[in-house]
Amino acid sequence: MHGGTQYGFIINVDTQGSGTTPDPDRPALRERIYRVVEDALAKADIADARLAQEDRGDGILAVVEPHRPGSIVGEWTEYLHQNLRQVNRELDRPLRLRAGLGVGPFTPDGHGFSGAAVDLACRIGNCEEAKAVLAAVPDAPLLVAVTDRLHQDVVRHGGRWIEPAHYRQYRVRLKEGEQQPWFTIPGLGAPPPAAGHDGAAPTPEDPGPTAARRRDDSAGFHFGNVTASDSAQVLQGQFGDITFDHRRGGTGSGGRS
C-alpha cells in the first residue's frame, strides 16, 4: 500500500507471555490470535474498514477508518473479550491479549506504515505497566489500553458497551516521555468507591498501600508484591521496579516491540 499521510484508528494486539511459548506451539497460537481478532472485527462490522494491516508475529497491527471509533472501543473490544473467553475454554494455557488503541496520522509505504500515533498505540499496550496489571489478574484474558486523547474524545462520553467508569488512568514513561494512558480489563466491575467507603483506594492522607494490602489480604490475591483485592477492583503495589496504584496510576517503562 502506497500513498501520502492518512488518518486512522490504530489497533495493536500483543500476546501476554508469548516469549515462553515453545516453537511447535506457535503456529496454533498465531491461528487463534487471528481467529479471535478477525471474528471480532466482523461482528463489529468493521472488517472491511481496515486501511492497512501488518503481521506482528505474536500479534496484529492494523489501521481502521476513523469514522466509527465507538464500534472499536465498545463493540470490537467486547467481542474480542467474549471470543477469548470461548477459545480459552478449550485450552490448558489460556490465550491472553493486550490491545493498544489510538487515533492519528499514519504514512503507508511498500513495507507497512509508520507514524508517532502508531508508535504510541503499540507502546501503551506493550508497556510494563500494562503487562503487570494483566499479570496481576490471572483469570482475565484481555487488557485494553487507550491513549489519553482517545479517552477524552470517545471513552469518557460512553456509548454502546463503553463504560467510562471501568477505565483507570496510569502514568507511564515511554521513549516519547511521560504518557497517561487509560487501562480497562473487560469483565471486571466498577473501580473502588470514593475514599472513606469500604474497599476504597487510599488517599494521600491514608496509611498507604501497605496498610490497605494488609486490610484486604483475606479478599484479594497476590502477584509478587502486587495486591488485587475484591475481584481486582483495588490494585496497588510493586511489580519489579514499577510502583502503581489502581486509583492514581503507576510509573515504569515500556516500548514498542
Side-chain angles (χ1 to χ4, degrees):
M1 178 179 179
H2 298 269
T5 298
Q6 303 178 47
Y7 192 88
F9 195 112
I10 301 152
I11 300 173
N12 183 67
V13 177
D14 279 308
T15 303
Q16 181 92 341
S18 62
T20 61
T21 303
D23 279 355
D25 296 336
R26 288 178 183 262
L29 171 68
R30 284 169 49 78
E31 187 277 329
R32 293 186 193 103
I33 294 169
Y34 272 88
R35 189 198 326 164
V36 296
V37 170
E38 292 285 345
D39 182 75
L41 287 169
K43 288 178 177 175
D45 197 25
I46 52 177
D48 294 333
R50 276 171 288 188
L51 301 173
Q53 183 166 310
E54 291 182 13
D55 181 79
R56 309 292 288 177
D58 62 348
I60 299 169
L61 176 60
V63 182
V64 179
E65 294 175 358
H67 60 275
R68 293 184 58 195
S71 296
I72 299 173
V73 176
E75 295 177 40
W76 177 76
T77 58
E78 181 56 29
Y79 285 129
L80 180 61
H81 173 227
Q82 295 302 328
N83 286 350
L84 287 167
R85 292 185 63 204
Q86 179 65 37
V87 75
N88 284 342
R89 292 172 185 163
E90 309 165 1
L91 301 176
D92 293 330
R93 177 175 174 164
L95 173 61
R96 310 180 73 208
L97 301 178
R98 302 182 312 275
L101 307 181
V103 291
F106 72 100
T107 303
D109 56 36
H111 304 285
F113 52 93
S114 62
V118 177
D119 289 344
L120 183 58
C122 293
R123 286 174 177 146
I124 61 172
N126 197 42
C127 68
E128 294 305 317
E129 290 82 359
K131 294 177 182 178
V133 170
L134 186 57
V137 191
D139 291 335
L142 176 65
L143 176 141
V144 178
V146 304
T147 62
D148 185 49
R149 177 182 178 182
L150 182 57
H151 183 273
Q152 295 301 318
D153 290 348
V154 179
V155 174
R156 72 184 181 93
H157 300 289
R160 178 174 166 84
W161 299 341
I162 300 175
E163 298 289 347
H166 292 182
Y167 284 75
R168 184 65 61 188
Q169 190 171 35
Y170 286 77
R171 282 194 304 275
V172 302
R173 293 194 184 105
L174 306 177
K175 293 180 180 179
E176 297 82 358
E178 184 177 282
Q179 301 289 330
Q180 297 189 34
W182 297 73
F183 299 163
T184 185
I185 297 182
L188 290 187
H197 294 75
D198 290 342
T203 65
E205 293 76 25
D206 285 337
T210 300
R213 185 164 57 245
R214 188 181 304 117
R215 180 176 67 248
D216 292 324
D217 274 350
S218 61
F221 57 86
H222 304 281
F223 183 86
N225 292 324
V226 177
T227 298
S229 303
D230 299 330
S231 299
Q233 294 180 17
V234 178
L235 181 62
Q236 54 195 194
Q238 292 184 325
F239 179 79
D241 61 349
I242 304 165
T243 299
F244 58 95
D245 182 306
H246 194 58
R247 179 181 63 85
R248 290 192 298 271
T251 57
S253 60
R256 179 180 176 183
S257 60

